Amino acid sequence: MDVKIGLECHAQLLTRSKLFCSCSTDYHNAEPNTYVCATCLGLPGALPVVNKRAIRYAIKIALALGCEVQEETIFYRKNYYYPDLPRGFQITQYDFPIAFKGLVRIESNGGKEREIRITRVHMEEDPGRLAYKGTIDTSKYSLVDYNRSGMPLVEIVTEPDLKSPKEARIFLGKLRSILEYLDVFDGDLEGAMRVDANISIEGGNRAEVKNISSYKGVERALLFEITRQKNLLRRGLNVQLETRHYDEVRGVTLSMRTKEFEHDYRYFPEPDLVPICISDSVEAVKQEIPELPDEKRKRFLAQYSISPEHASSLIYDPHIADYYEDVASKIDPRLSATWIADVLKGELNYRSSSMREASKRISHDDFVTILRYLVQGVITERGVTAIIRAMLDKGGKPEEIIKIKGLASMGSEETEKIIYSVLKDNKGVIEDYKAGKKEALNFLVGQVMKHTRGRADPKEVSRLLRDTIETGF
Ligand code: ADP
Ligand code: MG
Ligand code: ZN
């Protein structure tokens, strides 16, 4: 059965002030209800003034997604009441959004390229935030914080082109990457991206799961929906056209209400704002668009001759891409790719740390120094990993850590001594090896590594062991 998924992605823009007032957007560490004014609280008579930078950011996003930016854009009122929306309407867009018709390329299963069409890009204000003790189900009361009210959002709507929950997650990753390249979005901020996920299965209606705030959450909610909808269809029942809520804790979706339609909202043009001509700004905004992920990936492949997997991994986060280029300009680009994509990125994930934070602890020059020590044989691969971990955790300089932790590679004389003593103690194992039991060598390597405490290179040890056994000792 064919699965169709379309996403409505709401991204918070990194402007300094809100969309229609001068309140600060930097509310993530603020006390609730402190970054508010008459406008974003929706008090009667307060008037909105559009944030020009927010409009430019939205145009930038639309261009980067290959959309057709419109001549003119108009804000509309979407009327509904909810405690997080004290005005009784949200200022959003309708028939005259910023742009229509774009395209995002994703690498789906097995690196297969897929094109996901973008329906439209429009702007709107964020409502306030409701907080529950526990979950929306179990909480006896709701708390409301209007600091978020009026935050500038860009909504990016896709066609129902995604075919699986995994593709949805990959798409969101790609979108995040593009928005971060544009320097208009920070995916690390809590709630920076919220998604409404629409999903249908061949022969059934679609359900819309509202307001999912994590990438994993989108994938999980969609997986749950596939099972739920398939079960209904299998039993000959209808999938209701409805709006559902995702319970992050239990990993299930719950029915919230029957699907609302456009006429329910009584859209009409916002009379307190004039239509805005945007086509005039397009040329200037185009100049601000940097090299985007797809182009960077192509360039990395050509310029550094790295593997396609490494290229994809390195370009995802623009801070990592820049860091890589700084390192690769000073030492073997392929070696740099391996250590940054396979090791440094893993260590960052493990610590939930960002490259921006990490680069304060390991500058790219430090990283070059560490790799140089490896190439010169001063330290082993295990030494490199140990230094990276130590620097991420506590800072410091490579030389100090090599000294303090005793990471300097063993001289070959010292290593040979240990090899001899291990061979002496394991005559039986040598016989096994000679009799054709190849695993016996691994055991001996392990013994030697134990005695050198990782300060010897396992490949080198393996080679020395083989030579020594063959030539006799
Ligand atoms: P609404 O605004 O009422 O939610 P839209 O037509 O604007 O409806 O569509 C919203 C989202 O639903 C879009 O991302 C679109 O791709 C998706 N969508 C539309 N039809 C389907 C479908 N049959 N299955 C899955 N997603 C769909
Ligand atoms: Mg919708
Ligand atoms: Zn305000």
Short mmCIF file of all heavy atoms in Angstrom, two decimals, residues 414-457:
data_model
loop_
_atom_site.label_atom_id
_atom_site.label_comp_id
_atom_site.label_asym_id
_atom_site.label_seq_id
_atom_site.Cartn_x
_atom_site.Cartn_y
_atom_site.Cartn_z
N GLU A 414 61.02 -0.66 22.56
CA GLU A 414 60.18 -0.98 23.70
C GLU A 414 59.07 -1.95 23.29
O GLU A 414 58.76 -2.91 23.98
CB GLU A 414 59.56 0.31 24.25
CG GLU A 414 59.33 0.30 25.74
CD GLU A 414 58.76 1.65 26.20
OE1 GLU A 414 59.07 2.68 25.55
OE2 GLU A 414 57.99 1.66 27.15
N THR A 415 58.49 -1.68 22.11
CA THR A 415 57.41 -2.54 21.62
C THR A 415 57.93 -3.96 21.39
O THR A 415 57.30 -4.93 21.76
CB THR A 415 56.86 -2.00 20.28
OG1 THR A 415 56.67 -0.60 20.40
CG2 THR A 415 55.52 -2.65 19.94
N GLU A 416 59.11 -4.05 20.79
CA GLU A 416 59.68 -5.38 20.51
C GLU A 416 59.90 -6.17 21.78
O GLU A 416 59.63 -7.37 21.84
CB GLU A 416 60.99 -5.25 19.73
CG GLU A 416 60.72 -5.18 18.23
CD GLU A 416 61.94 -4.72 17.44
OE1 GLU A 416 63.08 -4.92 17.90
OE2 GLU A 416 61.72 -4.13 16.35
N LYS A 417 60.36 -5.47 22.82
CA LYS A 417 60.59 -6.14 24.10
C LYS A 417 59.29 -6.79 24.57
O LYS A 417 59.28 -7.95 25.01
CB LYS A 417 61.05 -5.13 25.15
CG LYS A 417 62.53 -5.25 25.46
CD LYS A 417 62.85 -4.39 26.68
CE LYS A 417 64.20 -3.73 26.49
NZ LYS A 417 64.31 -2.47 27.22
N ILE A 418 58.20 -6.01 24.49
CA ILE A 418 56.92 -6.52 24.96
C ILE A 418 56.48 -7.70 24.10
O ILE A 418 56.00 -8.71 24.60
CB ILE A 418 55.86 -5.39 24.97
CG1 ILE A 418 56.23 -4.38 26.05
CG2 ILE A 418 54.46 -5.96 25.23
CD1 ILE A 418 55.37 -3.16 26.10
N ILE A 419 56.70 -7.58 22.80
CA ILE A 419 56.33 -8.67 21.90
C ILE A 419 57.06 -9.96 22.27
O ILE A 419 56.46 -11.02 22.39
CB ILE A 419 56.61 -8.26 20.43
CG1 ILE A 419 55.55 -7.25 19.99
CG2 ILE A 419 56.59 -9.49 19.51
CD1 ILE A 419 55.69 -6.75 18.59
N TYR A 420 58.36 -9.82 22.51
CA TYR A 420 59.12 -11.01 22.90
C TYR A 420 58.55 -11.63 24.15
O TYR A 420 58.34 -12.83 24.22
CB TYR A 420 60.60 -10.66 23.13
CG TYR A 420 61.36 -10.51 21.83
CD1 TYR A 420 62.19 -9.42 21.61
CD2 TYR A 420 61.24 -11.49 20.83
CE1 TYR A 420 62.88 -9.28 20.42
CE2 TYR A 420 61.93 -11.36 19.64
CZ TYR A 420 62.75 -10.25 19.44
OH TYR A 420 63.43 -10.13 18.26
N SER A 421 58.25 -10.80 25.15
CA SER A 421 57.80 -11.37 26.42
C SER A 421 56.42 -12.03 26.25
O SER A 421 56.17 -13.09 26.81
CB SER A 421 57.84 -10.34 27.55
OG SER A 421 56.59 -9.73 27.71
N VAL A 422 55.56 -11.41 25.43
CA VAL A 422 54.24 -12.02 25.21
C VAL A 422 54.39 -13.35 24.48
O VAL A 422 53.75 -14.35 24.82
CB VAL A 422 53.32 -11.07 24.41
CG1 VAL A 422 52.10 -11.81 23.87
CG2 VAL A 422 52.88 -9.90 25.28
N LEU A 423 55.30 -13.39 23.49
CA LEU A 423 55.48 -14.64 22.74
C LEU A 423 56.02 -15.75 23.64
O LEU A 423 55.61 -16.90 23.55
CB LEU A 423 56.40 -14.39 21.55
CG LEU A 423 55.78 -13.57 20.40
CD1 LEU A 423 56.80 -13.33 19.30
CD2 LEU A 423 54.55 -14.27 19.84
N LYS A 424 56.94 -15.36 24.53
CA LYS A 424 57.51 -16.35 25.45
C LYS A 424 56.43 -16.98 26.30
O LYS A 424 56.44 -18.18 26.56
CB LYS A 424 58.54 -15.67 26.34
CG LYS A 424 59.94 -16.14 26.02
CD LYS A 424 60.95 -15.58 27.02
CE LYS A 424 62.20 -15.12 26.28
NZ LYS A 424 62.68 -13.81 26.72
N ASP A 425 55.49 -16.14 26.76
CA ASP A 425 54.45 -16.64 27.66
C ASP A 425 53.34 -17.38 26.94
O ASP A 425 52.42 -17.89 27.58
CB ASP A 425 53.82 -15.46 28.43
CG ASP A 425 54.83 -14.81 29.35
OD1 ASP A 425 55.88 -15.44 29.59
OD2 ASP A 425 54.57 -13.67 29.80
N ASN A 426 53.35 -17.39 25.62
CA ASN A 426 52.22 -17.98 24.90
C ASN A 426 52.65 -18.95 23.81
O ASN A 426 52.16 -18.90 22.68
CB ASN A 426 51.36 -16.86 24.28
CG ASN A 426 50.64 -16.04 25.33
OD1 ASN A 426 49.64 -16.46 25.88
ND2 ASN A 426 51.17 -14.87 25.62
N LYS A 427 53.52 -19.83 24.19
CA LYS A 427 54.06 -20.78 23.19
C LYS A 427 52.94 -21.58 22.52
O LYS A 427 52.95 -21.81 21.31
CB LYS A 427 55.06 -21.72 23.87
CG LYS A 427 56.31 -20.99 24.38
CD LYS A 427 57.55 -21.47 23.65
CE LYS A 427 58.71 -20.49 23.76
NZ LYS A 427 59.38 -20.46 25.08
N GLY A 428 51.99 -22.00 23.34
CA GLY A 428 50.88 -22.82 22.82
C GLY A 428 50.11 -22.08 21.72
O GLY A 428 49.75 -22.65 20.69
N VAL A 429 49.91 -20.80 21.95
CA VAL A 429 49.16 -19.99 20.98
C VAL A 429 49.94 -19.90 19.67
O VAL A 429 49.36 -19.94 18.58
CB VAL A 429 48.88 -18.58 21.54
CG1 VAL A 429 48.01 -17.79 20.58
CG2 VAL A 429 48.22 -18.66 22.91
N ILE A 430 51.26 -19.80 19.78
CA ILE A 430 52.07 -19.72 18.57
C ILE A 430 51.91 -21.01 17.75
O ILE A 430 51.76 -20.96 16.53
CB ILE A 430 53.57 -19.53 18.92
CG1 ILE A 430 53.75 -18.23 19.70
CG2 ILE A 430 54.42 -19.50 17.65
CD1 ILE A 430 55.15 -18.02 20.22
N GLU A 431 51.89 -22.14 18.46
CA GLU A 431 51.71 -23.41 17.76
C GLU A 431 50.36 -23.40 17.01
O GLU A 431 50.28 -23.80 15.86
CB GLU A 431 51.74 -24.59 18.74
CG GLU A 431 53.13 -24.84 19.35
CD GLU A 431 54.26 -24.77 18.32
OE1 GLU A 431 54.12 -25.41 17.24
OE2 GLU A 431 55.27 -24.06 18.56
N ASP A 432 49.32 -22.94 17.71
CA ASP A 432 47.99 -22.85 17.09
C ASP A 432 48.06 -22.04 15.81
O ASP A 432 47.51 -22.41 14.77
CB ASP A 432 46.97 -22.18 18.02
CG ASP A 432 46.63 -23.08 19.20
OD1 ASP A 432 47.01 -24.27 19.16
OD2 ASP A 432 45.99 -22.57 20.15
N TYR A 433 48.74 -20.89 15.92
CA TYR A 433 48.84 -19.99 14.76
C TYR A 433 49.56 -20.69 13.62
O TYR A 433 49.11 -20.66 12.47
CB TYR A 433 49.58 -18.71 15.17
CG TYR A 433 49.82 -17.78 14.00
CD1 TYR A 433 48.77 -17.09 13.41
CD2 TYR A 433 51.11 -17.61 13.48
CE1 TYR A 433 48.98 -16.24 12.33
CE2 TYR A 433 51.34 -16.77 12.41
CZ TYR A 433 50.27 -16.09 11.83
OH TYR A 433 50.48 -15.26 10.77
N LYS A 434 50.64 -21.33 13.95
CA LYS A 434 51.41 -22.02 12.90
C LYS A 434 50.61 -23.15 12.28
O LYS A 434 50.77 -23.46 11.10
CB LYS A 434 52.72 -22.57 13.49
CG LYS A 434 53.77 -21.49 13.70
CD LYS A 434 55.06 -22.12 14.20
CE LYS A 434 56.18 -21.10 14.22
NZ LYS A 434 57.31 -21.63 15.04
N ALA A 435 49.72 -23.73 13.10
CA ALA A 435 48.89 -24.84 12.60
C ALA A 435 47.73 -24.32 11.75
O ALA A 435 46.87 -25.09 11.33
CB ALA A 435 48.36 -25.67 13.77
N GLY A 436 47.69 -23.01 11.56
CA GLY A 436 46.69 -22.44 10.63
C GLY A 436 45.53 -21.74 11.31
O GLY A 436 44.60 -21.29 10.65
N LYS A 437 45.56 -21.61 12.62
CA LYS A 437 44.46 -20.93 13.32
C LYS A 437 44.75 -19.43 13.34
O LYS A 437 45.50 -18.94 14.19
CB LYS A 437 44.36 -21.51 14.75
CG LYS A 437 42.98 -21.38 15.34
CD LYS A 437 42.89 -22.13 16.67
CE LYS A 437 41.95 -21.39 17.58
NZ LYS A 437 42.16 -21.75 18.99
N LYS A 438 44.19 -18.74 12.36
CA LYS A 438 44.56 -17.32 12.17
C LYS A 438 44.14 -16.42 13.34
O LYS A 438 44.77 -15.43 13.63
CB LYS A 438 43.95 -16.77 10.86
CG LYS A 438 44.48 -17.45 9.61
CD LYS A 438 45.94 -17.07 9.33
CE LYS A 438 46.58 -17.98 8.28
NZ LYS A 438 47.97 -18.36 8.55
N GLU A 439 43.03 -16.80 14.03
CA GLU A 439 42.55 -15.96 15.14
C GLU A 439 43.58 -15.89 16.27
O GLU A 439 43.54 -14.98 17.08
CB GLU A 439 41.24 -16.49 15.75
CG GLU A 439 40.16 -16.84 14.77
CD GLU A 439 40.33 -18.29 14.30
OE1 GLU A 439 40.03 -19.21 15.07
OE2 GLU A 439 40.79 -18.45 13.16
N ALA A 440 44.46 -16.86 16.31
CA ALA A 440 45.45 -16.89 17.38
C ALA A 440 46.26 -15.59 17.40
O ALA A 440 46.65 -15.09 18.45
CB ALA A 440 46.38 -18.09 17.21
N LEU A 441 46.47 -15.03 16.19
CA LEU A 441 47.25 -13.80 16.10
C LEU A 441 46.53 -12.64 16.80
O LEU A 441 47.15 -11.84 17.49
CB LEU A 441 47.51 -13.46 14.62
CG LEU A 441 48.52 -12.34 14.42
CD1 LEU A 441 49.94 -12.82 14.77
CD2 LEU A 441 48.51 -11.85 12.98
N ASN A 442 45.21 -12.60 16.63
CA ASN A 442 44.44 -11.53 17.28
C ASN A 442 44.62 -11.57 18.79
O ASN A 442 44.72 -10.55 19.45
CB ASN A 442 42.95 -11.66 16.97
CG ASN A 442 42.68 -11.41 15.50
OD1 ASN A 442 43.49 -10.79 14.82
ND2 ASN A 442 41.55 -11.91 15.02
N PHE A 443 44.64 -12.78 19.31
CA PHE A 443 44.82 -12.92 20.75
C PHE A 443 46.17 -12.33 21.16
O PHE A 443 46.26 -11.57 22.13
CB PHE A 443 44.74 -14.40 21.15
CG PHE A 443 45.09 -14.64 22.58
CD1 PHE A 443 44.16 -14.38 23.59
CD2 PHE A 443 46.36 -15.09 22.94
CE1 PHE A 443 44.48 -14.58 24.92
CE2 PHE A 443 46.69 -15.30 24.27
CZ PHE A 443 45.75 -15.04 25.27
N LEU A 444 47.19 -12.64 20.38
CA LEU A 444 48.52 -12.14 20.72
C LEU A 444 48.58 -10.61 20.60
O LEU A 444 49.16 -9.93 21.45
CB LEU A 444 49.57 -12.78 19.80
CG LEU A 444 49.75 -14.30 20.00
CD1 LEU A 444 50.63 -14.89 18.92
CD2 LEU A 444 50.32 -14.60 21.39
N VAL A 445 47.95 -10.07 19.55
CA VAL A 445 47.91 -8.60 19.40
C VAL A 445 47.26 -8.00 20.64
O VAL A 445 47.74 -7.03 21.22
CB VAL A 445 47.13 -8.18 18.13
CG1 VAL A 445 46.95 -6.66 18.08
CG2 VAL A 445 47.84 -8.65 16.87
N GLY A 446 46.15 -8.60 21.06
CA GLY A 446 45.43 -8.11 22.24
C GLY A 446 46.32 -8.09 23.46
O GLY A 446 46.35 -7.12 24.22
N GLN A 447 47.10 -9.17 23.63
CA GLN A 447 48.01 -9.24 24.79
C GLN A 447 49.04 -8.12 24.74
O GLN A 447 49.30 -7.45 25.73
CB GLN A 447 48.72 -10.60 24.80
CG GLN A 447 47.80 -11.76 25.16
CD GLN A 447 47.20 -11.59 26.55
OE1 GLN A 447 47.93 -11.39 27.53
NE2 GLN A 447 45.89 -11.62 26.65
N VAL A 448 49.62 -7.92 23.55
CA VAL A 448 50.64 -6.87 23.42
C VAL A 448 50.01 -5.50 23.70
O VAL A 448 50.57 -4.69 24.43
CB VAL A 448 51.29 -6.89 22.02
CG1 VAL A 448 52.24 -5.72 21.84
CG2 VAL A 448 52.01 -8.21 21.78
N MET A 449 48.82 -5.25 23.13
CA MET A 449 48.16 -3.94 23.31
C MET A 449 47.89 -3.70 24.80
O MET A 449 48.01 -2.57 25.29
CB MET A 449 46.84 -3.87 22.53
CG MET A 449 47.02 -3.85 21.00
SD MET A 449 48.14 -2.58 20.41
CE MET A 449 47.15 -1.12 20.71
N LYS A 450 47.55 -4.78 25.49
CA LYS A 450 47.27 -4.64 26.91
C LYS A 450 48.53 -4.15 27.64
O LYS A 450 48.48 -3.24 28.46
CB LYS A 450 46.80 -5.99 27.48
CG LYS A 450 45.95 -5.86 28.71
CD LYS A 450 45.17 -7.13 28.99
CE LYS A 450 45.83 -7.89 30.13
NZ LYS A 450 45.31 -9.26 30.27
N HIS A 451 49.65 -4.75 27.29
CA HIS A 451 50.89 -4.37 27.97
C HIS A 451 51.39 -2.99 27.56
O HIS A 451 52.09 -2.34 28.32
CB HIS A 451 51.99 -5.42 27.70
CG HIS A 451 51.77 -6.67 28.49
ND1 HIS A 451 51.03 -7.73 28.00
CD2 HIS A 451 52.15 -7.02 29.73
CE1 HIS A 451 50.98 -8.67 28.91
NE2 HIS A 451 51.65 -8.27 29.99
N THR A 452 51.04 -2.56 26.35
CA THR A 452 51.51 -1.22 25.93
C THR A 452 50.49 -0.15 26.31
O THR A 452 50.71 1.02 26.10
CB THR A 452 51.72 -1.14 24.40
OG1 THR A 452 50.45 -1.31 23.78
CG2 THR A 452 52.69 -2.18 23.91
N ARG A 453 49.37 -0.55 26.87
CA ARG A 453 48.26 0.34 27.21
C ARG A 453 47.88 1.25 26.03
O ARG A 453 47.71 2.45 26.17
CB ARG A 453 48.59 1.19 28.45
CG ARG A 453 48.50 0.33 29.73
CD ARG A 453 48.79 1.14 30.97
NE ARG A 453 50.14 1.66 30.93
CZ ARG A 453 50.46 2.95 31.00
NH1 ARG A 453 49.51 3.84 31.13
NH2 ARG A 453 51.71 3.34 30.95
N GLY A 454 47.80 0.65 24.87
CA GLY A 454 47.31 1.38 23.70
C GLY A 454 48.33 2.33 23.08
O GLY A 454 48.01 3.06 22.18
N ARG A 455 49.54 2.30 23.57
CA ARG A 455 50.51 3.25 23.02
C ARG A 455 51.23 2.71 21.80
O ARG A 455 52.14 3.33 21.27
CB ARG A 455 51.51 3.66 24.10
CG ARG A 455 50.89 4.63 25.10
CD ARG A 455 51.66 4.61 26.40
NE ARG A 455 53.03 5.01 26.15
CZ ARG A 455 54.07 4.55 26.85
NH1 ARG A 455 53.90 3.68 27.79
NH2 ARG A 455 55.29 4.99 26.58
N ALA A 456 50.86 1.52 21.36
CA ALA A 456 51.43 1.00 20.12
C ALA A 456 50.32 0.91 19.09
O ALA A 456 49.15 0.84 19.45
CB ALA A 456 52.03 -0.37 20.37
N ASP A 457 50.72 0.92 17.82
CA ASP A 457 49.73 0.85 16.75
C ASP A 457 49.40 -0.62 16.50
O ASP A 457 50.29 -1.41 16.18
CB ASP A 457 50.36 1.51 15.51
CG ASP A 457 49.47 1.37 14.30
OD1 ASP A 457 48.28 1.06 14.49
OD2 ASP A 457 49.98 1.55 13.18
#
